[in-house]
């Protein structure tokens, strides 16, 4: 377990919604977050994302399961395992930001941040200095005396981030924090989160229904549907080889690819044809790969879908090709691609990826 900063094991959350009615919002979810991760949790509204993530600091008590944060068991055997005072302390180590910034509108930006330090042992002067530093960190030093209503949505979210960081948390939970922002502000806030992740080593849980947000900053992703995590792992892996239909919907490029493949009626591949997904770093280019293959081996490959995705800052090319030839020729083609650092995955006629 070593480096896991958050360990959720077999978490269930059931709500009593009527006399004999319950809703199981989270079902048997197991999720490990490592220190320094930006873990994207995606899914449609009502999938259970917020409920799940609120169990991390026990704002939501699970019905069953075990929760360990920074090596300390917070919840197990259906009950809280630490004192309320200890839990209070833990919660300070887990900052949260939301879609609605929840700022105090009657007080200044600086006061909003200072408010989060009202229980700290720092002197008034130190509290003010620290708050100014936090505002500087989020790029709002010159707005300390402004009131929230005088700021744009993106700026208000920055104040909320400064406030969330006031107690030097190791973990930040972002629950749809960019959902109310326009695309430009969204990207700026995401970049700020990434920056804080790199500068402070902050571990971030990013709840969102926007795949673009996850693509931009996350290194891992979990996809939730009806209370269940249906797919999770390294972003690149999930992104390039989505196993579940819903995941394919979220990672648009792959959905387009699958639609193309279906429309080509894969069931009718000839006996001497095989379908491959090729994944390559952005600076190689699709066309020379195919032409190069033909020149070097005489084997023909037809390209049926191609796309370049940017994950983090890294462009990644994705290509679906049908290779036609004898088994030896197809093997030679795979070798040709692999020799050029291209990841090659065979796809069967059901659209299933095989390594
Ligand atoms: N306090 C509650 N009492 C009863 N049902 C609840 C409660 N909180 C959440 N639910 C239900 O649990 C399910 C999951 O809700 P949750 O808010 O976790 O989903 P979500 O994926 O975060 O969606 P959203 O982005 O819309 O918040 C929904 O069916 C919701 O109606």
């Amino acid at each position: 377990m070593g480096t896991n900063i958050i360990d959720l094991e077999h978490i269930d959350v059931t709500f009593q919604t009527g006399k004999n009615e319950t809703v199981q919002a989270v079902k048997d979810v197991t999720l490990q977050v490592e220190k320094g991760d930006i873990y994207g949790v995606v899914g449609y509204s009502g999938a259970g994302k917020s409920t799940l993530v609120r169990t991390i600091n026990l704002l939501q008590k699970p019905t069953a399961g075990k929760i360990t944060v920074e090596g300390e068991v917070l919840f197990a055997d259906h009950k809280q395992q630490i004192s309320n005072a200890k839990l209070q302390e833990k919660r300070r180590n887990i900052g949260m930001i939301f879609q609605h910034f929840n700022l105090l509108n009657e007080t200044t930006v600086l006061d909003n941040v200072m408010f989060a330090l009202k229980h700290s042992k720092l002197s008034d002067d130190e509290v003010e200095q620290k708050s100014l530093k936090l505002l500087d960190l989020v790029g709002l030093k010159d707005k300390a005396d402004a009131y929230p209503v005088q700021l744009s949505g993106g700026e208000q979210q920055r104040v909320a981030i400064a406030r969330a960081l006031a107690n030097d948390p190791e973990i930040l939970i972002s629950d749809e924090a960019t959902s109310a922002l326009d695309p430009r502000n969204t990207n700026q806030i995401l970049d700020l989160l990434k920056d804080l992740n790199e500068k402070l080593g902050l571990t971030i849980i990013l709840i969102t229904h926007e795949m673009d947000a996850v693509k931009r900053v996350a290194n891992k992703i979990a996809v939730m549907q009806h209370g269940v995590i249906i797919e999770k792992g390294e972003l690149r892996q999930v992104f390039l080889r989505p196993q579940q239909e819903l995941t394919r919907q979220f990672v648009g490029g792959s959905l387009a690819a699958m639609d193309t493949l279906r429309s080509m009626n894969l069931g009718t591949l000839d006996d001497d044809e095989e379908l491959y997904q090729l994944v390559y770093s952005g600076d190689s280019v699709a066309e020379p790969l195919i032409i190069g293959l033909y020149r070097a081996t005489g084997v023909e490959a037809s390209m049926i879908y191609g796309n370049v995705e940017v994950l983090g800052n890294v462009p990644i090319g994705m290509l679906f090709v049908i290779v036609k030839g004898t088994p030896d020729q197809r093997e030679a083609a795979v070798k040709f691609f692999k020799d050029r650092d291209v990841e090659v995955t065979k796809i069967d006629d059901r659209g299933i990826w095989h390594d």
Side-chain angles (χ1 to χ4, degrees), residues 253-292:
S254 297
L255 183 68
M258 292 318 297
D259 282 348
T260 313
L261 300 184
R262 280 204 193 98
S263 71
M264 307 255 327
N265 197 358
L266 291 177
T268 63
L269 280 180
D270 287 340
D271 285 345
D272 63 347
E273 291 177 335
E274 270 169 352
L275 174 66
Y276 294 102
Q277 180 193 34
L278 309 181
V279 174
Y280 52 94
S281 75
D283 33 82
S284 353
V285 194
E287 211 175 72
L289 268 181
I290 308 273
I291 295 171

Side-chain angles (χ1 to χ4, degrees), residues 68-301:
T68 312
V69 178
E70 296 169 303
E72 191 156 15
V73 179
L74 306 191
F75 192 94
D77 302 327
H78 306 282
K79 54 179 192 290
Q80 187 176 316
Q81 299 288 322
I82 56 172
S83 67
N84 282 333
K86 219 50 209 289
L87 178 60
Q88 228 39 56
E89 208 176 286
K90 272 274 172 209
R91 281 186 180 156
R92 273 189 216 118
N93 204 25
I94 305 175
M96 293 184 97
I97 53 173
F98 305 92
Q99 175 171 359
H100 305 294
F101 322 116
N102 303 340
L103 300 178
L104 303 168
N105 286 318
E106 310 306 318
T107 64
T108 65
V109 162
L110 179 62
D111 284 338
N112 264 276
V113 181
M114 286 174 59
F115 191 72
L117 287 167
K118 68 178 191 298
H119 298 297
S120 84
K121 296 190 183 81
L122 301 177
S123 70
D124 289 353
D125 194 42
E126 285 167 332
V127 165
E128 184 170 333
Q129 288 315 312
K130 183 167 188 186
S131 301
L132 285 169
K133 239 169 115 177
L134 285 162
L135 285 173
D136 193 20
L137 186 67
V138 300
L140 279 186
K141 200 178 174 185
D142 54 337
K143 302 276 184 185
D145 297 327
Y147 285 82
V149 289
Q150 297 171 307
L151 305 183
S152 74
E155 288 169 337
Q156 291 190 44
Q157 193 59 284
R158 283 171 193 271
V159 179
I161 292 171
R163 183 184 55 184
L165 297 179
N167 291 291
D168 306 310
E170 307 264 338
I171 299 167
L172 179 71
I173 294 173
S174 165
D175 190 349
E176 299 282 5
T178 58
S179 299
L181 303 178
D182 64 30
R184 196 166 134 249
N185 275 309
T186 291
N187 285 340
Q188 286 176 354
I189 291 294
L190 290 170
D191 291 347
L192 173 62
L193 292 180
K194 176 93 190 162
D195 198 41
L196 295 170
N197 164 261
E198 285 167 2
K199 264 196 205 140
L200 310 176
L202 190 65
T203 303
I204 300 176
I205 316 287
L206 188 75
I207 304 179
T208 178
H209 62 276
E210 298 163 322
M211 191 65 200
D212 282 343
V214 174
K215 270 167 65 179
R216 192 174 179 97
V217 296
N219 64 322
K220 296 200 186 131
I221 175 174
V223 183
M224 256 189 120
Q225 183 179 35
H226 308 315
V228 177
I229 290 186
I230 57 167
E231 197 158 353
K232 66 183 171 190
E234 298 286 334
L235 177 71
R236 191 177 197 278
Q237 185 65 17
V238 172
F239 202 85
L240 294 171
R241 290 173 203 165
Q243 305 292 319
Q244 302 289 329
E245 190 59 32
L246 178 71
T247 316
R248 287 182 195 141
Q249 285 178 30
F250 271 103
V251 304
S254 297
L255 183 68
M258 292 318 297
D259 282 348
T260 313
L261 300 184
R262 280 204 193 98
S263 71
M264 307 255 327
N265 197 358
L266 291 177
T268 63
L269 280 180
D270 287 340
D271 285 345
D272 63 347
E273 291 177 335
E274 270 169 352
L275 174 66
Y276 294 102
Q277 180 193 34
L278 309 181
V279 174
Y280 52 94
S281 75
D283 33 82
S284 353
V285 194
E287 211 175 72
L289 268 181
I290 308 273
I291 295 171
L293 172 71
Y294 183 72
R295 287 210 183 110
T297 65
V299 181
E300 280 179 41

